[in-house]
Amino acid sequence: MLLIILKRLAATVPVLLVVAVVIFSILRLTPGDPAAIVAGDGATVQQIEQIRHHMGLDQPIPVQFFKWIGDVLQGDFGTSLISNLPVKDMILDRMGPTIAITLYTVLYTVIISIPVGIISAWRRGKAVDKVVTAGSVLGFSVPVFITAYVLIFIFSMGLGWLPVQGYRPLSEGVWPHIKHLILPVASLGTIYIALVTRFVRSSIIDTLGEDYIRTARAKGLNERSVLIHHALANAAVPILTIIGITITMLIGGVVVTESVFNIPGLGRLVVEAILAKDFTIIQALIVLFSVVDIVINLVVDILYKVFDPRIES
Amino acid sequence: MHQNLKVSSLVGSLLVAVPLTLGLAGAATAETTITAVMQAPLRSLDPVITTAYVIRNYGYMVYDTLLSVDANGDIKPQMLEKWEVSPDGKTYTFTLRDGLTWHDGKPVTTDDCIASIKRWAKQDKMGQVMETLTTSMDKVDDKTFSMTFSAPTNIVLRALSKPSSLAAFMMPERVAKTSPSEPITESIGSGPFKFVASEYKPGVQAVFVKNQDYVPRKEPPSGMAGGRVVKVDKVRWVAMPDAMTGINALKNKEIDFIEQAPYDLLPILEQDKDIQLIVAKSQGGQPIMRLNQLIPPFDNKLIRKAAMAAIDQKAIMQADIGNPKYYATCGALFGCDSTYASVAGSEDLIKAEPEKSKALLKEGKYDGTPVVIMHPTDFANAGGSFVPVIAQQLRQGGFKVDVQAMDWQTVVTRRASQKPVADGGWNIFTTYLSLADITDPLSNYTVAANGKQAWFGWPTSPEIEKLRQQFATSADAGELKKLATEVQKLAMEEVVVVPLGEFSVVAAAQKSLKGILNAPVPVFWNIEKTKD
C-alpha cells in the first residue's frame, strides 16, 4: 500500500508542473495589468511603467516563470503584487473558514443524505421515496444564493436567531463559531444533500437487485442488516466518489456562499486575486487546489480498497 | 435602633454603590467600535503610490496633513502652527505645531515633512507642477522649514491642502525616502488613528484604534479642517462583496456604517427608523467620457464635437444613478457648485442634438469606421450602467459604434495603449472622478492637455497648458477664477474631456452614530457612538 501511495505521489509531480505552466501562461496571455491596478485611476502611462518595473513584470516571461518556479520549490510563494504581504500568510489566513465550511458541509451532507438515500431506496416507489426524490430535484435546482437569501430573511432578519454575515474562528468560542456557520452550511448543504442523496439512492437500488442480497434475505437476515452490511457496504465505492468530488468542489468553489455570507475563505481570495490580476496569489492557489484535488483523489482511492478488497491495487 | 439604622444604611449604600460602581467601571471600560463597510476593500497601504479612494481614506485615518480645507473652501493649518509668506510672494516659511508625534513615539520634524513632500510631489499631478516651480526646500530648525519658488505663487498652499488623491500625507523620513514607485511597508503616521497591522487582512478587514497621543487642534471641525477629535476606541473596516449583505447587516445592527449605499437599495433603508441616510454631495463624483485623440476618428476636433453634441446627460445619469434626487446634469468641469464652477462651452452636452452631430460628422468627413467604446460591465459607476446609453446616443448622432464588454481591470490596462484599435487600442472609455479631485484646472487631471504626457486620451492644447501654468503661479482669487473659466471654455471647445453630470454619494449609518461630518472625504473623527 505504501508503495502505491508513493507511486501516486510521484505521479503528481508532472501534473503539478503542467498546472504551473498552464496557469502561468494563461495569466500572462489574458488582458489585465496589476501595475495599472496598483497605480489607480489617475496614474499616467509613465507611472504605471515604473510600478511594472518594480514588480518585475517587465522581464521576459520565461525569466519570470523560472524565478517563480525556483522560489516555489524552496517553499516561497512570493508576495502579493497588490498588498505586498507574503502569499503563504494570506492563504493560511483564509484557510480556516474554508476548512470549517467544507468540513461541516460534508458532515452535514453525509449525516443527512446517507440515511435518507437508503430509506428512499428501500421504500422505492412509495410515498417517502417520492418526497425524497422531489426534495432532491428541488434541492439542486434552486441556486445557492436564493436559498441563502431565504434563510437570511427567515432566521436573521425575521426571527433574529442567527447573524446575517461574518465568520468567527473557533478560538473566539464554539457558539460564535457555529452560529456564524449554520446558515452558510445549511445553504450549501441543500445542493450537496440533494446530489449525494440521489447518488446513494441509485447505488443502493442497484445493489438491492444483486444476487447476494437475495441470498442474505433468504438466510433470514433482517432488513437492517441487509441494508447496512450488504447493500450499503457494496454501494460504498460510488458514494465515496461523490463525496470526494463534493470536497474538491467545496475547497475552491464556494465563492457565492462566501460572498453572500461575507466569509473570508479561499474561494473569495481566488476571485479577488483574479479581479485584481494578483498573479502570485492566483498561481499559488491554483497549485494548492491541484494538490488538494490530487490528495483527495488519492485518499478516495485508498478508501476504495478498504471498502472493497476486490479492487486491484 | 439608631445603630441598626446606621448598619442598615451602610448595607443599603453598599448594595446600591457596589453595583453602581461596577456598572460605571464597566461603562468606562466598554470599548466603542464603529464597524464600517467602505466603498472598496483595503488591499494596499501606500496613499502616495495610488489614487484609489479607499487608500486615500485610509491615509486620513493614519496620517496627517500640513494644511487642510474647511467647509468654505478656505485653507487652514492642520499640522502647522502657522505659515508666513515673504513680501515678494516667493518664499513660504512653515512652522509645525507642538505635540506632533509619530505612532512610534518619535517627534515629527521638518526633515520628515521635507522628505514626505518630495516623495508626494513626484507622484501627484499638482505636486509635479509645484515641483517645477520650486527652487529650494530648506530646513530652518526641527519645527520650521521654508520653500522658495521661481515666481510668486500660492500653489504650495493649494497643493498641500487639497483633500483628495493624492493628498499630501506626512510620513517619517525613513519611510518617505522610499522610491515613489515602490510601495511603503510601514503604517506609521501621526494621524488620529493607529493602524493595527496584526489585525489587517487585505481585502477582508482593516482595524484602527484611537491614537491616545494625538493632540487635535482646538478649532471645531469644518470640512477637512479643525480638530480631529476621535470619540470612539476602534474603527473596523470590513469588506462586503455583496451589497445586499451589507444592507441586511446594517438593518440587523451587525455593522454601523456603509460609506456608499447602493441607490437601488435605498428604499429598504429609508423605511428603517433606526437608520440615517447621509447625502454626501461633496463626496460625490463626476462621470466622464474620454476620447482617444491620438488616433482617428477623434484626432479630428469636428468629430469630437459631434460626439459631444450626441450626448444627452439626463439619460446617462438616469441609467447611472436612477433617482434624480441624487444626480444633477451640468457641464462644469470643476464641479457644479465649486469655487471655479463654470458651464461655459458645455451647452451641447445637456441635451442630445443628433442632427447637429450628423452635420459635424459630415463636415469632419467621418468615414464610418466603428468607434470602439470599452464597457466595464463589472463597475456600474465607471460606465457599466451607462455605456450602452452612450453607445445608443452616438448611433443616433450618426456614429457607428462597437461596444466591447470587458471587466474594469481590462479597461484600466487597455486604456494605456496608444496603438491603433486594430492593435489593441481604443476610441472611448468612461470612468468617474471624485468631486474632491476636480476642483480646479490643476487638480482635475483630465484637463491636462500636454499630449502623450497627459492622462489617457492624450489631448494636446498648448493654450490650455499655458493657462494651467498661469493658474499655478497666480495668487489672485479673481484672476484664478478667470483662468479657470478660460480653461473650461477651451477644454469644451477642444473636447478634451466630456463631463456627463454629477452625483451625490449616500452613506447609511445607525442613528446611534452622531457627529458624522459632511467632508469631501469620509472621515471617522468627531463621530460618537451612543447607546440608543
Side-chain angles (χ1 to χ4, degrees):
Chain A
M1 179 67 86
L2 187 66
L3 192 67
I4 298 165
I5 294 171
L6 289 174
K7 271 186 183 172
R8 288 289 301 272
L9 285 175
T12 62
V13 175
V15 174
L16 288 176
L17 195 64
V18 170
V19 168
V21 171
V22 169
I23 188 65
F24 196 91
S25 311
I26 286 174
L27 288 175
R28 266 54 180 191
L29 294 175
T30 48
D33 181 358
I37 292 155
V38 166
D41 208 16
T44 60
V45 174
Q46 293 77 15
Q47 285 167 333
I48 294 170
E49 275 303 323
Q50 285 174 0
I51 295 171
R52 191 179 293 124
H53 174 71
H54 171 73
M55 288 174 165
L57 296 174
D58 57 347
Q59 291 181 343
I61 290 176
V63 173
Q64 290 181 45
F65 177 75
F66 285 111
K67 185 182 177 314
W68 172 65
I69 210 81
D71 289 345
V72 169
L73 288 174
Q74 293 172 57
D76 177 8
F77 284 91
T79 53
S80 155
L81 296 178
I82 308 295
S83 68
N84 277 298
L85 293 176
V87 170
K88 198 166 72 181
D89 294 352
M90 290 180 72
I91 292 176
L92 286 174
D93 245 6
R94 302 286 193 103
M95 219 171 233
T98 296
I99 290 174
I101 208 167
T102 303
L103 196 69
Y104 300 149
T105 306
V106 169
L107 274 176
Y108 175 53
T109 302
V110 168
I111 288 169
I112 303 286
S113 59
I114 291 183
V116 171
I118 293 172
I119 292 167
S120 182
W122 181 46
R123 292 282 178 228
R124 188 183 179 189
K126 301 275 169 41
V128 68
D129 180 36
K130 285 177 183 164
V131 170
V132 169
T133 307
S136 302
V137 172
L138 189 70
F140 60 68
S141 304
V142 178
V144 67
F145 66 91
I146 300 275
T147 314
Y149 283 136
V150 170
L151 291 177
I152 289 172
F153 183 73
I154 297 169
F155 294 101
S156 305
M157 307 305 291
L159 299 168
W161 291 350
L162 296 165
V164 170
Q165 53 81 43
Y167 171 77
R168 297 285 179 277
L170 207 48
S171 58
E172 288 185 22
V174 176
W175 176 234
H177 176 71
I178 299 289
K179 191 170 73 171
H180 282 86
L181 285 174
I182 291 175
L183 293 185
V185 168
S187 311
L188 260 178
T190 312
I191 289 179
Y192 292 105
I193 286 171
L195 194 70
V196 177
T197 301
R198 278 181 74 91
F199 228 85
V200 171
R201 179 184 173 275
S202 60
S203 300
I204 299 281
I205 285 172
D206 285 349
T207 319
L208 286 175
E210 296 289 338
D211 290 345
Y212 55 79
I213 296 289
R214 203 179 321 127
T215 309
R217 280 179 176 147
K219 281 197 304 186
L221 282 180
N222 62 30
E223 273 304 291
R224 185 201 269 185
S225 289
V226 171
L227 283 169
I228 306 293
H229 299 299
H230 294 268
L232 182 61
N234 284 289
V237 169
I239 294 170
L240 272 176
T241 310
I242 191 73
I243 291 171
I245 293 169
T246 303
I247 296 171
T248 51
M249 282 162 77
L250 282 166
I251 291 283
V254 292
V255 183
V256 174
T257 311
E258 288 182 354
S259 297
V260 171
F261 290 102
N262 193 29
I263 295 169
L266 290 177
R268 243 176 78 188
L269 180 63
V270 75
V271 171
E272 287 162 10
I274 289 167
L275 291 176
K277 310 287 176 206
D278 199 335
F279 294 161
T280 46
I281 293 185
I282 304 169
Q283 288 160 190
L285 279 172
I286 300 296
V287 170
L288 175 75
F289 291 155
S290 307
V291 171
V292 170
D293 211 5
I294 289 166
V295 169
I296 287 169
N297 276 310
L298 182 60
V299 171
V300 169
D301 283 357
I302 293 165
L303 288 174
Y304 282 170
K305 180 89 181 133
V306 173
F307 279 92
D308 191 350
R310 292 169 302 174
I311 290 175
E312 288 296 317
S313 299
Chain B
M1 182 67 190
H2 185 66
Q3 188 66 24
N4 281 348
L5 192 66
K6 275 174 78 176
V7 170
S8 61
S9 299
L10 184 66
V11 171
S13 304
L14 277 172
L15 284 172
V16 174
V18 169
L20 251 179
T21 313
L22 287 174
L24 284 175
T29 53
E31 193 179 71
T32 49
T33 302
I34 296 176
T35 304
V37 173
M38 302 306 280
Q39 146 259 357
L42 189 69
R43 290 203 179 90
S44 60
L45 302 175
D46 190 341
V48 170
I49 208 168
T50 179
T51 52
Y53 294 135
V54 69
I55 301 172
R56 172 202 65 188
N57 301 347
Y58 150 84
Y60 276 105
M61 301 292 277
V62 175
Y63 301 99
D64 214 343
T65 52
L66 293 173
L67 297 160
S68 49
V69 179
D70 71 9
N72 301 318
D74 295 329
I75 297 168
K76 300 285 177 187
Q78 185 51 244
M79 291 171 78
L80 294 180
E81 182 61 44
K82 58 176 183 176
W83 74 82
E84 287 163 351
V85 192
S86 65
D88 64 359
K90 290 184 179 176
T91 301
Y92 285 74
T93 306
F94 301 101
T95 307
L96 295 170
R97 65 186 168 95
D98 289 331
L100 300 175
T101 54
W102 299 113
H103 294 165
D104 59 7
K106 293 184 178 133
V108 176
T109 68
T110 51
D111 290 327
D112 301 316
C113 298
I114 289 171
S116 299
I117 293 171
K118 280 182 178 167
R119 183 171 191 260
W120 162 84
K122 290 262 179 292
Q123 287 295 101
D124 180 66
K125 292 188 177 59
M126 204 162 174
Q128 286 162 1
V129 177
M130 185 188 86
E131 202 179 28
T132 62
L133 298 168
T134 309
T135 52
S136 67
M137 206 177 335
D138 303 302
K139 175 181 177 176
V140 177
D141 58 42
D142 273 352
K143 288 182 66 181
T144 313
F145 68 102
S146 66
M147 291 178 76
T148 305
F149 300 92
S150 55
T153 176
N154 70 354
I155 189 173
V156 64
L157 301 182
R158 287 182 271 145
L160 295 179
S161 65
K162 74 185 176 80
S164 192
S165 307
L166 299 167
F169 295 117
M170 296 299 113
M171 299 174 178
E173 186 185 17
R174 67 171 192 285
V175 178
K177 280 194 164 166
T178 311
S179 158
S181 60
E182 191 181 325
I184 58 171
T185 52
E186 284 186 71
S187 292
I188 301 288
S190 63
F193 288 93
K194 284 183 179 179
F195 182 68
V196 186
S198 59
E199 293 188 46
Y200 171 49
K201 292 181 182 177
V204 178
Q205 78 162 13
V207 177
F208 308 88
V209 290
K210 180 180 179 175
N211 176 9
Q212 303 289 353
D213 301 324
Y214 184 73
V215 182
R217 298 190 70 83
K218 300 280 180 255
E219 301 91 335
S222 166
M224 298 303 291
R228 296 177 175 180
V229 181
V230 175
K231 297 177 178 175
V232 292
D233 299 303
K234 197 187 248 192
V235 175
R236 245 180 97 228
W237 289 1
V238 291
M240 271 190 211
D242 183 64
M244 193 66 226
T245 305
I247 299 292
N248 283 338
L250 188 71
K251 282 175 73 69
N252 217 28
K253 298 192 166 41
E254 291 172 32
I255 59 170
D256 302 297
F257 181 82
I258 298 178
E259 185 196 345
Q260 292 183 15
Y263 299 99
D264 54 340
L265 299 179
L266 289 176
I268 300 174
L269 298 174
E270 280 163 359
Q271 293 163 8
D272 196 315
K273 62 178 174 44
D274 294 328
I275 290 171
Q276 53 179 323
L277 295 179
I278 304 125
V279 181
K281 206 169 176 192
S282 57
Q283 287 170 26
Q286 180 193 66
I288 59 158
M289 177 171 86
R290 190 75 163 177
L291 310 174
N292 185 348
Q293 305 198 14
L294 286 187
I295 57 170
F298 294 122
D299 55 346
N300 181 338
K301 188 165 106 179
L302 288 170
I303 295 175
R304 294 201 297 274
K305 284 173 90 84
M308 195 158 91
I311 290 299
D312 182 317
Q313 278 195 345
K314 192 170 182 198
I316 292 168
M317 294 309 290
Q318 189 62 27
D320 188 17
I321 308 300
N323 187 342
K325 223 161 86 179
Y326 304 121
Y327 73 78
T329 55
C330 145
L333 280 169
F334 308 121
C336 307
D337 304 314
S338 73
T339 310
Y340 302 116
S342 162
V343 291
S346 67
E347 297 77 16
D348 281 356
L349 260 177
I350 309 301
K351 200 152 174 49
E353 293 177 78
E355 293 314 314
K356 185 175 178 181
S357 172
K358 282 175 188 165
L360 283 162
L361 285 181
K362 199 173 171 190
E363 195 185 343
K365 297 185 175 59
Y366 173 56
D367 65 0
T369 307
V371 291
V372 169
I373 177 163
M374 296 191 280
H375 182 200
T377 50
D378 60 333
F379 192 173
N381 281 135
S385 56
F386 60 82
V387 160
V389 179
I390 291 179
Q392 189 54 25
Q393 289 173 359
L394 290 173
R395 284 188 194 108
Q396 283 166 352
F399 283 89
K400 281 191 179 158
V401 184
D402 176 8
V403 181
Q404 296 192 0
M406 57 192 77
D407 67 349
W408 172 245
Q409 305 308 349
T410 305
V411 174
V412 168
T413 307
R414 189 168 166 185
R415 72 181 180 182
S417 170
Q418 298 182 339
K419 292 176 183 167
V421 170
D423 299 328
W426 55 277
N427 296 118
I428 303 176
F429 83 89
T430 55
T431 185
Y432 82 93
L433 283 85
S434 165
L435 293 182
D437 276 337
I438 60 165
T439 51
D440 65 56
L442 293 180
S443 61
N444 186 341
Y445 48 81
T446 65
V447 297
N450 47 345
K452 287 189 175 179
Q453 302 302 309
W455 196 58
F456 315 100
W458 310 285
T460 303
S461 168
E463 294 85 2
I464 291 179
E465 283 307 289
K466 196 175 157 195
L467 287 167
R468 291 179 75 232
Q469 198 61 27
Q470 286 172 7
F471 191 89
T473 50
S474 177
D476 177 76
E479 196 192 344
L480 287 170
K481 172 83 180 160
K482 201 175 136 204
L483 289 166
T485 307
E486 281 302 306
V487 172
Q488 160 86 24
K489 258 190 221 163
L490 265 175
M492 287 289 107
E493 173 60 25
E494 293 291 325
V495 198
V496 164
V497 60
V498 183
L500 302 172
E502 209 169 279
F503 62 84
S504 303
V505 161
V506 186
Q510 301 292 349
K511 280 195 176 150
S512 55
L513 294 193
K514 315 262 192 233
I516 299 172
L517 290 171
N518 186 11
V521 171
V523 293
F524 285 85
W525 55 81
N526 201 55
I527 303 179
E528 263 179 286
K529 189 176 177 181
T530 56
K531 279 188 178 165
D532 50 309

